[in-house]
Amino acid sequence: ATDVGLLKVLMWLIAPVAMESGKYPQLISSDPREARVFLSRLNEKSNSIQFAKQAIEEILPEDDAQSDDFLKWALSEADTLLRNNKKVVDNLSEALAGGAATIGDCVAILEGW
C-alpha cells in the first residue's frame, strides 16, 4: 500500500462529486462524504488487519487537517481529469444515458475509435 494508491482511490470516490458540481450548482445524487468515510473506516479497520496494519497506518492521514488536504487534492485532480477529457466524458455519458450502449461501445468511445 502506498499513499499514491490511497490518493487514487480517493480520486475515484470523489469523481462523481467533481462531475456533478461541474454541471449543477448543488449536488443532487453524489455524496462528498464517501471519501471521508472511507478514510475513517480504513483507520478503524487497520487494527483488525494485522498483516497490513503498519502499511495502512503509514499511508493514512495523520489528522483531520491532513485528511482535508488529501480530499481537496483528490477533488482537484478529479476535476482536472474530467475537464481535460471533457469530450470523451460527454460522449461516454451520452452513450450510457441512452441505455443501449454495450461494453464494446464504451471501449470504442474511450479508445477514440
Side-chain angles (χ1 to χ4, degrees):
T2 66
D3 53 346
V4 172
L6 176 63
L7 292 171
K8 286 181 180 181
V9 171
L10 291 176
M11 283 175 54
W12 175 71
L13 288 170
I14 206 94
V17 174
M19 179 81 170
E20 192 172 359
S21 65
K23 290 186 173 199
Y24 307 105
Q26 183 176 1
L27 297 177
I28 299 167
S29 62
S30 60
D31 189 350
R33 297 172 295 180
E34 285 183 8
R36 185 174 301 282
V37 169
F38 171 74
L39 289 175
S40 296
R41 295 288 292 158
L42 192 57
N43 188 31
E44 290 170 14
K45 293 296 182 182
S46 68
N47 290 327
S48 63
I49 307 172
Q50 292 302 317
F51 68 92
K53 180 180 178 182
Q54 182 179 355
I56 293 171
E57 289 175 349
E58 287 175 2
I59 64 169
L60 286 173
E62 295 175 10
D63 53 26
D64 287 342
Q66 192 174 29
S67 289
D68 289 344
D69 290 344
F70 277 31
L71 296 172
K72 287 176 188 174
W73 181 89
L75 180 61
S76 174
E77 286 297 306
D79 183 61
T80 299
L81 280 171
L82 289 167
R83 281 188 282 115
N84 289 347
N85 297 285
K86 184 175 181 4
K87 184 178 178 184
V88 173
V89 170
D90 288 344
N91 290 341
L92 189 59
S93 295
E94 287 176 24
L96 292 170
T102 65
I103 292 174
D105 295 333
C106 295
V107 170
I109 291 169
L110 293 172
E111 295 291 332
W113 295 345

